[in-house]
Amino acid sequence: MAQGISFRLFDVSVRERIELSPSMVRFVFAADALDQARSFGPDQRIKIFFPNAAGELAVPRGEDWYARYRNQSEVSRAPMRTYTVRALRCEQGEMDVDFAAHGDAGPASRWASRARPGDRVVLLAPHADEADSGGVEWNPPRDAREVLLIADETALPAVAGILESLTRLPRPPKVRAYIEVPLGADVIELVGPDDMQIVWLPRAAHAFAESADYGQRLIDAIRAARLQPPANDDDNDDGAERPLSEVDIDREILWEQAAATASSFYAWIAGEAGAVMAIRRHLVGERGFAKSAISFMGYWRKGRVLE
Ligand SMILES: Cc1cc2nc3c(=O)[nH]c(=O)nc-3n(C[C@H](O)[C@H](O)[C@H](O)COP(=O)(O)OP(=O)(O)OC[C@H]3O[C@@H](n4cnc5c(N)ncnc54)[C@H](O)[C@@H]3O)c2cc1C
């Protein structure tokens, strides 16, 4: 998941804070310079630097800024986390980023629970002067007719963007999406193609109800659905990996990209790494889906900090 080296730093401030649901808050970031920011796909990732514990936000500048950032002590440097561009309005110098709230456990979530208009962060995002900045994984084969999306709340902003992007295709594929969210009230309206089926999977009915473990409702729903790989794809059940390799998600980042270019089926799966691994085992190992038609992305790992 290497970050495009051509990303640039943007100093921005919060223009608006919008509560999308009990567990999801949207920040509209603003800066004149954002007219030079770019988003190259619906799951465009960026990095966000937050103020450190002392409230300082000092991200080094210049050619070697990243080396100098890495050399700063952990307490003084601005914590950096990965987020998704939900919308970019260059002409207004605005970018929307949606944050899933998970209390005070991490600097990003802590910041999001308190941030108000005027508060500042620094974004590391693609710039207009750079041709290929990377940071986009959504890449369905041109002839894909069936798309499967599996996500938790951290990947919901990307899924919302993906669904919107499909409405702009002349002949959108059929889409089935499974989305796990913290609460029943976190189900939001999504705009997508006509042939779209969304299965919402709240971990708890409401804030005071018992909650399922992270990812468990997704795993159970995918197993129960007994999904079938497409019958006629050439690279279906590519057999490239038998037995299926394991990824040590407590040491590595789970980040596998679909490579098939001629498949009629494409899946994009992102969320808590343990859940994504369990779904990978089920779809590829047990149901015979071609690994080459599926992107598996651990957006976060329970108990670990991923920058
Ligand atoms: C490509 C990519 C795009 C992403 N886009 C978004 C996005 O648009 N919106 C979004 O909200 N997140 C997104 N994420 C996930 C986000 O980067 C992580 O959730 C991140 O860990 C949050 O940082 P933090 O400082 O709040 O917590 P950290 O300091 O990273 O973690 C502290 C503790 O909280 C746990 N934790 C982290 N995230 C969660 C969570 N969501 N729920 C419960 N526990 C958690 C960790 O396991 C750890 O134990 C994205 C991740 C990737 C890789």
Side-chain angles (χ1 to χ4, degrees):
M1 207 221 328
Q3 202 63 59
I5 47 163
S6 51
F7 280 33
R8 302 255 189 105
L9 296 167
F10 296 85
D11 292 291
V12 301
S13 60
V14 173
R15 179 165 283 168
E16 206 179 340
R17 174 193 173 99
I18 303 167
E19 312 289 338
L20 297 179
S21 75
S23 313
M24 189 69 86
V25 58
R26 170 166 301 163
F27 289 98
V28 180
F29 293 120
D32 290 346
L34 283 178
D35 67 344
Q36 294 302 303
R38 291 294 178 267
S39 177
F40 291 101
D43 61 345
Q44 175 72 61
R45 66 175 173 269
I46 55 169
K47 298 286 183 185
I48 306 184
F49 297 86
F50 300 92
N52 64 17
E56 299 151 350
L57 181 63
V59 181
R61 301 302 154 108
E63 289 271 296
D64 61 343
W65 73 269
Y66 192 65
R68 288 197 287 128
Y69 170 75
R70 282 283 158 212
N71 281 335
Q72 288 176 326
S73 72
E74 221 170 290
V75 274
S76 65
R77 77 168 172 238
M80 173 180 81
R81 296 292 183 269
T82 311
Y83 281 82
T84 304
V85 177
R86 179 64 185 88
L88 177 64
R89 292 175 295 281
C90 290
E91 62 295 347
Q92 280 137 268
E94 288 183 347
M95 183 189 287
D96 296 347
V97 180
D98 296 351
F99 284 62
H102 64 100
D104 277 356
S109 180
R110 195 178 320 123
W111 178 88
S113 68
R114 294 164 176 75
R116 293 288 176 271
D119 287 354
R120 294 185 316 113
V121 293
V122 176
L123 308 181
L124 181 62
H127 190 278
D129 288 349
E130 312 287 350
D132 179 11
S133 293
V136 171
E137 309 301 349
W138 170 252
N139 187 22
R142 222 191 34 209
D143 297 326
R145 300 308 314 141
E146 213 181 308
V147 166
L148 172 66
L149 303 171
I150 302 176
D152 68 12
E153 65 270 28
T154 65
L156 174 54
V159 165
I162 288 169
L163 292 173
E164 271 172 26
S165 75
L166 292 175
T167 65
R168 295 191 283 274
L169 294 181
R171 211 164 68 90
K174 172 181 166 187
V175 187
R176 191 187 269 209
Y178 292 84
I179 307 172
E180 185 181 288
V181 285
L183 305 173
D186 288 316
V187 173
I188 55 172
E189 202 173 318
L190 295 175
V191 174
D194 291 341
D195 198 348
M196 164 174 91
Q197 193 192 339
I198 299 182
V199 179
W200 287 98
L201 299 160
R203 284 190 293 274
H206 56 82
F208 305 105
E210 201 183 329
S211 181
D213 284 345
Y214 292 111
Q216 195 56 50
R217 295 230 46 216
L218 277 178
I219 298 168
D220 292 347
I222 299 302
R223 285 189 159 278
R226 301 187 64 76
L227 300 172
Q228 294 291 344
N232 309 319
D233 273 5
D234 286 349
D235 48 5
N236 184 38
D237 195 12
D238 45 9
E241 264 194 55
R242 295 288 184 269
L244 181 63
S245 66
E246 284 288 302
V247 178
D248 183 353
I249 49 175
D250 288 318
R251 287 169 195 275
E252 301 164 51
I253 292 181
L254 171 57
W255 209 260
E256 289 180 348
Q257 289 315 302
T261 50
S263 170
S264 67
F265 170 82
Y266 176 71
W268 184 104
I269 303 176
E272 197 284 321
V276 177
M277 269 302 278
I279 291 168
R280 176 180 176 272
R281 268 183 226 115
H282 174 70
L283 291 180
V284 181
E286 294 168 18
R287 304 223 45 92
F289 277 84
K291 193 155 145 299
S292 60
I294 309 180
S295 289
F296 297 98
M297 291 156 289
Y299 265 28
W300 63 284
R301 173 64 184 141
K302 204 164 80 174
R304 258 189 92 192
V305 170
L306 310 179
E307 282 199 327

